[in-house]
Amino acid sequence: MNVANPEIAYRTRAAGIDTNYHDRGSGFPVLFIHGSGPGVSAWANWRLVIPELAKTHRVIAPDMVGFGFTDRPEGVKYDVDAWVAQSIGLLHRLGLPKAHIVGNSFGGAIALALAIRHPERAERLVLMGSVGVPFAITPGLDAVWGYQPSMENMRKLLDIFAYSRELVNDELAELRYNASIRPGFQESFSAMFPAPRQRWVDAMTSGEADIRALPHETLIVHGRDDKVIPLSNSLTLLEWIDRSQLHVFGRCGHWVQIEHAERFARLLTGFFAETNS
């Protein structure tokens, strides 16, 4: 880990992308795929969960191409194909034939697509506040993907993300705003989801038949008060994935891994402990 900036960790090429990734702990690997908020990175998304899961597992958490401190090659196409290829490429590069896959929001759509296209590479799935099924874009998600950098806009986004005002103070707003204006960050972010944005929700959707065919044990997690991704997404996933269970956190918005970090970590640890891995 970079002492000056904990968001920067290891680097390797994954599917041709120079990728920044975190690699902590030992044991059966868990691949964490972050969400798509402005200025997001793997560390910003998973910093409270990585140390706990690393007590029992090897935790791999990359910055997906277009986000964080992974390179942004000129001409790269930001889509599900690229993000799945990068994820599989990273597992291959690290010599990991299989891992538990945890996806948050946007990352849930990537996790779903990965498990559908490469079922042998996924042991168990965790889908948290997940995209990947059809839904009408919410005003919250439209605001997140349409973010234009300013402190005022970041404060408004944090109010959308989190249930509790205790989490969304000016210090956090300033940190996330500064992250969003790092060189290259906003340029790639604004290029990903231009209006009209319903088409990007649709582009990240996997087919119902493909989802229903998933053989994986799947833990679905959602905040009851999520303003970004509707709880109905997780109810759909629960219906479509045969070997699934749903855990809903009350008094929780879109940031389960931050708003209920300890509970979320215990939930994952227990879910993964059911296997022999």
Side-chain angles (χ1 to χ4, degrees):
M1 183 186 296
N2 186 310
V3 176
N5 185 351
E7 294 178 276
I8 300 173
Y10 300 97
R11 299 195 77 80
T12 193
R13 291 190 72 77
I17 304 294
D18 190 15
T19 299
N20 176 61
Y21 71 100
H22 301 266
D23 190 341
R24 301 269 294 271
S26 60
F28 193 81
V30 183
L31 177 68
F32 281 86
I33 305 176
H34 61 72
S36 62
V40 76
S41 67
W43 183 250
N45 226 172
W46 302 115
R47 66 190 183 279
L48 301 180
V49 178
I50 288 173
E52 287 303 309
L53 266 293
K55 293 176 181 178
T56 52
H57 291 78
R58 182 179 177 184
V59 175
I60 311 295
D63 287 347
M64 307 310 292
V65 64
F67 297 95
F69 294 88
T70 285
D71 276 5
R72 295 164 168 78
E74 189 172 341
V76 66
K77 186 177 181 182
Y78 296 120
D79 61 13
V80 171
D81 292 344
W83 290 311
V84 169
Q86 182 190 10
S87 301
I88 292 295
L90 180 58
L91 292 178
H92 178 74
R93 188 76 172 181
L94 298 178
L96 302 174
K98 183 176 280 194
H100 299 308
I101 313 295
V102 182
N104 169 33
S105 192
F106 151 96
I110 309 307
L112 266 178
L114 185 159
I116 289 167
R117 301 177 189 188
H118 306 276
E120 77 286 353
R121 305 304 292 267
E123 180 64 34
R124 288 191 160 204
L125 285 178
V126 178
L127 306 172
M128 189 183 77
S130 184
V131 183
V133 296
F135 71 100
I137 191 168
T138 62
L141 181 57
D142 198 50
V144 171
W145 281 354
Y147 166 81
Q148 292 297 317
S150 74
M151 271 292 290
E152 180 183 0
N153 286 341
M154 183 57 74
R155 286 192 191 97
K156 290 177 180 177
L157 280 197
L158 295 187
D159 281 335
I160 292 170
F161 274 121
Y163 174 81
S164 173
R165 284 290 309 173
E166 294 176 9
L167 279 176
V168 292
N169 55 35
D170 281 351
E171 181 182 3
L172 178 60
E174 185 173 2
L175 284 171
R176 292 302 297 261
Y177 166 69
N178 288 336
S180 76
I181 59 171
R182 289 171 179 144
F185 276 45
Q186 180 61 19
E187 290 82 353
S188 59
F189 183 74
S190 61
M192 280 182 214
F193 309 114
R197 297 186 180 89
Q198 180 65 47
R199 56 184 164 155
W200 309 121
V201 170
D202 299 340
M204 301 196 73
T205 298
S206 292
E208 178 179 349
D210 291 329
I211 296 174
R212 286 185 180 275
L214 285 171
H216 307 84
E217 290 285 347
T218 303
L219 173 64
I220 305 162
V221 183
H222 217 110
R224 181 192 63 200
D225 310 292
D226 193 335
K227 298 176 183 176
V228 180
I229 305 300
L231 177 57
S232 58
N233 274 28
S234 286
L235 296 173
T236 298
L237 288 166
L238 179 67
E239 179 186 347
W240 289 1
I241 301 175
D242 185 46
R243 294 181 174 87
S244 66
Q245 54 185 289
L246 171 62
H247 192 107
V248 180
F249 287 88
R251 299 177 64 83
C252 182
H254 191 56
W255 279 349
V256 174
Q257 82 282 15
I258 294 172
E259 297 178 75
H260 294 270
E262 291 183 9
R263 288 174 168 177
F264 179 65
R266 286 198 301 269
L267 193 60
L268 264 59
T269 301
F271 179 61
F272 296 149
E274 292 175 3
T275 71
N276 294 322
S277 303

